Amino acid sequence: YSNEILQTEVTEYRISKDLYPLEKMRLMIVNAYIALHFNELETAAQKYMEIISFYEELNEQEKDIMYNEIGRLLQKTRYRAALIENM
């Protein structure tokens, strides 16, 4: 990797309205992870709540597919919050 690549700004993924629901949700989760990476807990928590709202609109099969990913995001958010609190 070159230094130029490492110095580029990290930005959220844009989420198109044309995406399938699961693709949209996965990008929402990635954006929440980006916020966590930069210790933006309030932003990550807000994104988590948006993800939950979106999740509730999915059909049962889609919910089954996304359940573990959302649970993992919640656990990582709690872990990051605990780390920051103990600093």
Side-chain angles (χ1 to χ4, degrees), residues 33-74:
Y33 279 124
I34 290 171
L36 282 178
H37 180 75
F38 291 100
N39 295 330
E40 297 287 337
L41 288 179
E42 287 184 34
T43 301
Q46 179 184 7
K47 292 182 180 306
Y48 176 80
M49 296 309 297
E50 291 172 8
I51 291 165
I52 292 302
S53 293
F54 190 78
Y55 175 82
E56 291 172 351
E57 297 175 15
L58 298 176
N59 66 43
E60 291 305 312
Q61 182 182 10
E62 292 168 330
K63 285 180 181 179
D64 287 344
I65 292 169
M66 298 306 300
Y67 181 82
N68 288 332
E69 289 186 51
I70 293 170
R72 189 175 307 114
L73 174 61
L74 176 60

Short mmCIF file of all heavy atoms in Angstrom, two decimals, residues 33-74:
data_model
loop_
_atom_site.label_atom_id
_atom_site.label_comp_id
_atom_site.label_asym_id
_atom_site.label_seq_id
_atom_site.Cartn_x
_atom_site.Cartn_y
_atom_site.Cartn_z
N TYR A 33 -20.17 0.30 11.89
CA TYR A 33 -18.82 -0.15 12.25
C TYR A 33 -17.79 0.96 12.00
O TYR A 33 -16.85 1.11 12.77
CB TYR A 33 -18.42 -1.41 11.49
CG TYR A 33 -18.98 -2.68 12.09
CD1 TYR A 33 -19.74 -3.56 11.32
CD2 TYR A 33 -18.72 -3.03 13.41
CE1 TYR A 33 -20.24 -4.74 11.85
CE2 TYR A 33 -19.22 -4.20 13.95
CZ TYR A 33 -19.98 -5.05 13.17
OH TYR A 33 -20.47 -6.21 13.71
N ILE A 34 -17.96 1.70 10.94
CA ILE A 34 -17.05 2.82 10.66
C ILE A 34 -17.13 3.82 11.81
O ILE A 34 -16.11 4.30 12.30
CB ILE A 34 -17.38 3.48 9.30
CG1 ILE A 34 -17.00 2.53 8.16
CG2 ILE A 34 -16.65 4.82 9.16
CD1 ILE A 34 -17.47 2.97 6.79
N ALA A 35 -18.34 4.14 12.26
CA ALA A 35 -18.50 5.06 13.39
C ALA A 35 -17.81 4.49 14.63
O ALA A 35 -17.13 5.22 15.35
CB ALA A 35 -19.98 5.32 13.65
N LEU A 36 -17.98 3.21 14.89
CA LEU A 36 -17.34 2.58 16.05
C LEU A 36 -15.81 2.66 15.96
O LEU A 36 -15.14 2.90 16.96
CB LEU A 36 -17.74 1.11 16.17
CG LEU A 36 -19.10 0.81 16.75
CD1 LEU A 36 -19.35 -0.69 16.74
CD2 LEU A 36 -19.24 1.37 18.14
N HIS A 37 -15.30 2.44 14.78
CA HIS A 37 -13.86 2.47 14.60
C HIS A 37 -13.26 3.81 15.03
O HIS A 37 -12.15 3.87 15.54
CB HIS A 37 -13.51 2.19 13.14
CG HIS A 37 -12.05 2.19 12.86
ND1 HIS A 37 -11.25 1.15 13.23
CD2 HIS A 37 -11.26 3.11 12.28
CE1 HIS A 37 -10.00 1.44 12.88
NE2 HIS A 37 -9.98 2.62 12.30
N PHE A 38 -14.03 4.87 14.84
CA PHE A 38 -13.56 6.20 15.21
C PHE A 38 -14.13 6.67 16.55
O PHE A 38 -14.14 7.86 16.84
CB PHE A 38 -13.89 7.19 14.09
CG PHE A 38 -13.06 6.94 12.85
CD1 PHE A 38 -13.60 6.24 11.78
CD2 PHE A 38 -11.75 7.35 12.79
CE1 PHE A 38 -12.83 5.99 10.65
CE2 PHE A 38 -10.97 7.10 11.67
CZ PHE A 38 -11.52 6.42 10.59
N ASN A 39 -14.60 5.71 17.35
CA ASN A 39 -15.13 5.99 18.69
C ASN A 39 -16.29 6.98 18.68
O ASN A 39 -16.48 7.71 19.64
CB ASN A 39 -14.02 6.46 19.64
CG ASN A 39 -13.00 5.39 19.89
OD1 ASN A 39 -13.32 4.21 19.85
ND2 ASN A 39 -11.78 5.78 20.14
N GLU A 40 -17.05 6.97 17.64
CA GLU A 40 -18.25 7.82 17.54
C GLU A 40 -19.44 7.01 18.05
O GLU A 40 -20.27 6.53 17.29
CB GLU A 40 -18.46 8.26 16.09
CG GLU A 40 -17.36 9.12 15.53
CD GLU A 40 -17.38 10.52 16.11
OE1 GLU A 40 -18.44 10.97 16.59
OE2 GLU A 40 -16.31 11.16 16.11
N LEU A 41 -19.49 6.84 19.37
CA LEU A 41 -20.51 5.97 19.96
C LEU A 41 -21.92 6.47 19.75
O LEU A 41 -22.83 5.68 19.50
CB LEU A 41 -20.23 5.78 21.45
CG LEU A 41 -19.03 4.91 21.79
CD1 LEU A 41 -18.85 4.83 23.29
CD2 LEU A 41 -19.18 3.53 21.20
N GLU A 42 -22.13 7.76 19.87
CA GLU A 42 -23.48 8.30 19.67
C GLU A 42 -23.95 8.05 18.25
O GLU A 42 -25.10 7.66 18.03
CB GLU A 42 -23.52 9.79 20.00
CG GLU A 42 -23.43 10.08 21.48
CD GLU A 42 -23.56 11.56 21.78
OE1 GLU A 42 -24.30 12.26 21.07
OE2 GLU A 42 -22.91 12.00 22.74
N THR A 43 -23.05 8.26 17.29
CA THR A 43 -23.40 8.01 15.89
C THR A 43 -23.68 6.53 15.67
O THR A 43 -24.67 6.16 15.02
CB THR A 43 -22.26 8.47 14.97
OG1 THR A 43 -22.04 9.87 15.18
CG2 THR A 43 -22.59 8.23 13.51
N ALA A 44 -22.83 5.67 16.24
CA ALA A 44 -23.03 4.22 16.09
C ALA A 44 -24.35 3.79 16.71
O ALA A 44 -25.08 2.97 16.14
CB ALA A 44 -21.87 3.46 16.71
N ALA A 45 -24.67 4.34 17.89
CA ALA A 45 -25.94 3.98 18.55
C ALA A 45 -27.13 4.45 17.73
O ALA A 45 -28.13 3.73 17.60
CB ALA A 45 -25.98 4.60 19.95
N GLN A 46 -27.03 5.63 17.16
CA GLN A 46 -28.12 6.15 16.32
C GLN A 46 -28.30 5.25 15.09
O GLN A 46 -29.42 4.91 14.72
CB GLN A 46 -27.81 7.58 15.88
CG GLN A 46 -28.86 8.18 14.98
CD GLN A 46 -28.46 9.58 14.50
OE1 GLN A 46 -27.36 10.05 14.73
NE2 GLN A 46 -29.39 10.22 13.83
N LYS A 47 -27.18 4.86 14.49
CA LYS A 47 -27.26 3.99 13.33
C LYS A 47 -27.83 2.62 13.72
O LYS A 47 -28.60 2.03 12.96
CB LYS A 47 -25.89 3.84 12.68
CG LYS A 47 -25.42 5.13 12.03
CD LYS A 47 -24.10 4.96 11.36
CE LYS A 47 -23.67 6.26 10.72
NZ LYS A 47 -24.64 6.83 9.81
N TYR A 48 -27.48 2.13 14.89
CA TYR A 48 -28.04 0.86 15.36
C TYR A 48 -29.55 0.96 15.48
O TYR A 48 -30.27 0.04 15.04
CB TYR A 48 -27.41 0.47 16.71
CG TYR A 48 -28.01 -0.79 17.27
CD1 TYR A 48 -27.61 -2.03 16.80
CD2 TYR A 48 -29.00 -0.73 18.24
CE1 TYR A 48 -28.17 -3.19 17.29
CE2 TYR A 48 -29.57 -1.89 18.75
CZ TYR A 48 -29.15 -3.11 18.28
OH TYR A 48 -29.73 -4.26 18.75
N MET A 49 -30.05 2.06 16.01
CA MET A 49 -31.49 2.23 16.15
C MET A 49 -32.17 2.30 14.77
O MET A 49 -33.26 1.75 14.57
CB MET A 49 -31.82 3.47 16.98
CG MET A 49 -31.34 3.37 18.43
SD MET A 49 -31.85 1.84 19.27
CE MET A 49 -33.62 2.01 19.26
N GLU A 50 -31.52 2.94 13.82
CA GLU A 50 -32.05 2.98 12.44
C GLU A 50 -32.09 1.57 11.85
O GLU A 50 -33.04 1.20 11.17
CB GLU A 50 -31.19 3.89 11.57
CG GLU A 50 -31.28 5.36 11.93
CD GLU A 50 -30.27 6.21 11.18
OE1 GLU A 50 -29.57 5.69 10.27
OE2 GLU A 50 -30.15 7.39 11.52
N ILE A 51 -31.04 0.80 12.13
CA ILE A 51 -30.98 -0.58 11.64
C ILE A 51 -32.11 -1.41 12.24
O ILE A 51 -32.78 -2.17 11.53
CB ILE A 51 -29.60 -1.19 11.96
CG1 ILE A 51 -28.52 -0.53 11.10
CG2 ILE A 51 -29.61 -2.71 11.77
CD1 ILE A 51 -27.11 -0.79 11.55
N ILE A 52 -32.36 -1.24 13.52
CA ILE A 52 -33.45 -1.99 14.18
C ILE A 52 -34.80 -1.61 13.57
O ILE A 52 -35.64 -2.47 13.30
CB ILE A 52 -33.44 -1.75 15.70
CG1 ILE A 52 -32.20 -2.39 16.33
CG2 ILE A 52 -34.70 -2.30 16.37
CD1 ILE A 52 -32.07 -3.88 16.10
N SER A 53 -35.01 -0.33 13.33
CA SER A 53 -36.27 0.11 12.70
C SER A 53 -36.44 -0.53 11.33
O SER A 53 -37.53 -1.00 10.97
CB SER A 53 -36.31 1.63 12.57
OG SER A 53 -36.36 2.21 13.83
N PHE A 54 -35.36 -0.56 10.57
CA PHE A 54 -35.40 -1.16 9.24
C PHE A 54 -35.61 -2.67 9.36
O PHE A 54 -36.37 -3.26 8.59
CB PHE A 54 -34.10 -0.84 8.49
CG PHE A 54 -34.12 -1.21 7.05
CD1 PHE A 54 -34.77 -0.43 6.12
CD2 PHE A 54 -33.48 -2.36 6.61
CE1 PHE A 54 -34.79 -0.78 4.78
CE2 PHE A 54 -33.50 -2.73 5.29
CZ PHE A 54 -34.16 -1.93 4.36
N TYR A 55 -34.94 -3.29 10.33
CA TYR A 55 -35.04 -4.73 10.55
C TYR A 55 -36.49 -5.14 10.81
O TYR A 55 -36.95 -6.16 10.31
CB TYR A 55 -34.15 -5.10 11.74
CG TYR A 55 -34.23 -6.54 12.18
CD1 TYR A 55 -33.51 -7.53 11.53
CD2 TYR A 55 -35.02 -6.91 13.28
CE1 TYR A 55 -33.57 -8.85 11.94
CE2 TYR A 55 -35.08 -8.23 13.70
CZ TYR A 55 -34.35 -9.19 13.02
OH TYR A 55 -34.41 -10.50 13.43
N GLU A 56 -37.20 -4.34 11.58
CA GLU A 56 -38.58 -4.67 11.92
C GLU A 56 -39.49 -4.72 10.70
O GLU A 56 -40.54 -5.34 10.74
CB GLU A 56 -39.10 -3.68 12.95
CG GLU A 56 -38.42 -3.85 14.30
CD GLU A 56 -38.75 -2.78 15.31
OE1 GLU A 56 -39.39 -1.77 14.94
OE2 GLU A 56 -38.36 -2.94 16.48
N GLU A 57 -39.08 -4.08 9.62
CA GLU A 57 -39.89 -4.07 8.39
C GLU A 57 -39.59 -5.26 7.47
O GLU A 57 -40.30 -5.47 6.49
CB GLU A 57 -39.65 -2.77 7.63
CG GLU A 57 -40.08 -1.54 8.39
CD GLU A 57 -39.74 -0.25 7.68
OE1 GLU A 57 -39.41 -0.30 6.47
OE2 GLU A 57 -39.79 0.81 8.33
N LEU A 58 -38.55 -6.03 7.79
CA LEU A 58 -38.18 -7.16 6.94
C LEU A 58 -39.14 -8.32 7.14
O LEU A 58 -39.80 -8.43 8.17
CB LEU A 58 -36.76 -7.63 7.29
CG LEU A 58 -35.62 -6.65 7.08
CD1 LEU A 58 -34.31 -7.27 7.56
CD2 LEU A 58 -35.51 -6.21 5.64
N ASN A 59 -39.18 -9.21 6.15
CA ASN A 59 -39.97 -10.43 6.32
C ASN A 59 -39.17 -11.40 7.19
O ASN A 59 -38.00 -11.18 7.49
CB ASN A 59 -40.36 -11.04 4.97
CG ASN A 59 -39.17 -11.54 4.17
OD1 ASN A 59 -38.25 -12.17 4.70
ND2 ASN A 59 -39.18 -11.27 2.87
N GLU A 60 -39.79 -12.47 7.62
CA GLU A 60 -39.16 -13.39 8.57
C GLU A 60 -37.89 -14.03 8.03
O GLU A 60 -36.92 -14.21 8.76
CB GLU A 60 -40.16 -14.47 9.02
CG GLU A 60 -41.29 -13.95 9.88
CD GLU A 60 -40.79 -13.19 11.11
OE1 GLU A 60 -39.90 -13.71 11.82
OE2 GLU A 60 -41.30 -12.08 11.36
N GLN A 61 -37.88 -14.38 6.76
CA GLN A 61 -36.68 -14.99 6.17
C GLN A 61 -35.52 -13.99 6.18
O GLN A 61 -34.39 -14.35 6.53
CB GLN A 61 -36.97 -15.45 4.75
CG GLN A 61 -35.78 -16.12 4.09
CD GLN A 61 -36.07 -16.54 2.66
OE1 GLN A 61 -37.09 -16.17 2.08
NE2 GLN A 61 -35.17 -17.31 2.09
N GLU A 62 -35.79 -12.75 5.83
CA GLU A 62 -34.75 -11.72 5.85
C GLU A 62 -34.26 -11.44 7.27
O GLU A 62 -33.06 -11.26 7.50
CB GLU A 62 -35.27 -10.43 5.21
CG GLU A 62 -35.54 -10.55 3.72
CD GLU A 62 -36.32 -9.39 3.16
OE1 GLU A 62 -37.13 -8.78 3.89
OE2 GLU A 62 -36.12 -9.08 1.97
N LYS A 63 -35.19 -11.45 8.22
CA LYS A 63 -34.81 -11.26 9.62
C LYS A 63 -33.87 -12.37 10.08
O LYS A 63 -32.88 -12.10 10.78
CB LYS A 63 -36.05 -11.22 10.52
CG LYS A 63 -36.83 -9.93 10.43
CD LYS A 63 -38.03 -9.97 11.35
CE LYS A 63 -38.82 -8.69 11.25
NZ LYS A 63 -40.01 -8.71 12.11
N ASP A 64 -34.17 -13.61 9.71
CA ASP A 64 -33.31 -14.73 10.08
C ASP A 64 -31.90 -14.55 9.52
O ASP A 64 -30.92 -14.85 10.20
CB ASP A 64 -33.88 -16.05 9.56
CG ASP A 64 -35.11 -16.50 10.34
OD1 ASP A 64 -35.35 -15.98 11.45
OD2 ASP A 64 -35.82 -17.39 9.82
N ILE A 65 -31.80 -14.05 8.30
CA ILE A 65 -30.50 -13.84 7.67
C ILE A 65 -29.69 -12.78 8.40
O ILE A 65 -28.48 -12.91 8.60
CB ILE A 65 -30.68 -13.46 6.18
CG1 ILE A 65 -31.24 -14.66 5.40
CG2 ILE A 65 -29.37 -12.97 5.57
CD1 ILE A 65 -31.71 -14.33 4.00
N MET A 66 -30.35 -11.71 8.84
CA MET A 66 -29.64 -10.56 9.42
C MET A 66 -29.48 -10.62 10.94
O MET A 66 -28.70 -9.85 11.50
CB MET A 66 -30.37 -9.27 9.04
CG MET A 66 -30.43 -9.00 7.55
SD MET A 66 -28.81 -9.02 6.73
CE MET A 66 -27.96 -7.72 7.58
N TYR A 67 -30.18 -11.51 11.59
CA TYR A 67 -30.21 -11.53 13.06
C TYR A 67 -28.82 -11.55 13.70
O TYR A 67 -28.50 -10.76 14.58
CB TYR A 67 -31.04 -12.73 13.54
CG TYR A 67 -31.16 -12.81 15.03
CD1 TYR A 67 -32.09 -12.04 15.71
CD2 TYR A 67 -30.32 -13.65 15.77
CE1 TYR A 67 -32.20 -12.11 17.09
CE2 TYR A 67 -30.42 -13.72 17.15
CZ TYR A 67 -31.36 -12.95 17.80
OH TYR A 67 -31.46 -12.99 19.16
N ASN A 68 -27.97 -12.48 13.27
CA ASN A 68 -26.64 -12.61 13.87
C ASN A 68 -25.77 -11.39 13.60
O ASN A 68 -24.99 -10.98 14.46
CB ASN A 68 -25.94 -13.88 13.39
CG ASN A 68 -26.55 -15.12 14.00
OD1 ASN A 68 -27.10 -15.08 15.10
ND2 ASN A 68 -26.47 -16.22 13.29
N GLU A 69 -25.87 -10.82 12.41
CA GLU A 69 -25.07 -9.64 12.09
C GLU A 69 -25.45 -8.45 12.98
O GLU A 69 -24.58 -7.71 13.44
CB GLU A 69 -25.22 -9.26 10.62
CG GLU A 69 -24.56 -10.25 9.68
CD GLU A 69 -24.60 -9.80 8.24
OE1 GLU A 69 -24.21 -8.66 7.95
OE2 GLU A 69 -25.03 -10.62 7.41
N ILE A 70 -26.73 -8.30 13.22
CA ILE A 70 -27.18 -7.20 14.08
C ILE A 70 -26.77 -7.46 15.52
O ILE A 70 -26.33 -6.53 16.22
CB ILE A 70 -28.70 -7.01 13.94
CG1 ILE A 70 -29.03 -6.53 12.53
CG2 ILE A 70 -29.23 -6.02 14.98
CD1 ILE A 70 -30.49 -6.53 12.20
N GLY A 71 -26.87 -8.69 15.96
CA GLY A 71 -26.44 -9.03 17.31
C GLY A 71 -24.95 -8.79 17.50
O GLY A 71 -24.52 -8.29 18.55
N ARG A 72 -24.16 -9.12 16.49
CA ARG A 72 -22.72 -8.88 16.55
C ARG A 72 -22.43 -7.39 16.64
O ARG A 72 -21.57 -6.95 17.42
CB ARG A 72 -22.05 -9.48 15.31
CG ARG A 72 -20.54 -9.50 15.36
CD ARG A 72 -19.93 -10.22 14.15
NE ARG A 72 -20.47 -11.55 13.96
CZ ARG A 72 -21.20 -11.92 12.90
NH1 ARG A 72 -21.47 -11.07 11.94
NH2 ARG A 72 -21.66 -13.15 12.80
N LEU A 73 -23.15 -6.58 15.88
CA LEU A 73 -22.97 -5.13 15.95
C LEU A 73 -23.30 -4.61 17.34
O LEU A 73 -22.56 -3.79 17.89
CB LEU A 73 -23.85 -4.43 14.90
CG LEU A 73 -23.86 -2.91 14.95
CD1 LEU A 73 -22.47 -2.32 14.72
CD2 LEU A 73 -24.87 -2.37 13.95
N LEU A 74 -24.37 -5.10 17.93
CA LEU A 74 -24.74 -4.66 19.28
C LEU A 74 -23.63 -5.01 20.27
O LEU A 74 -23.24 -4.17 21.10
CB LEU A 74 -26.06 -5.30 19.71
CG LEU A 74 -26.50 -4.99 21.14
CD1 LEU A 74 -26.70 -3.49 21.34
CD2 LEU A 74 -27.77 -5.76 21.46
#
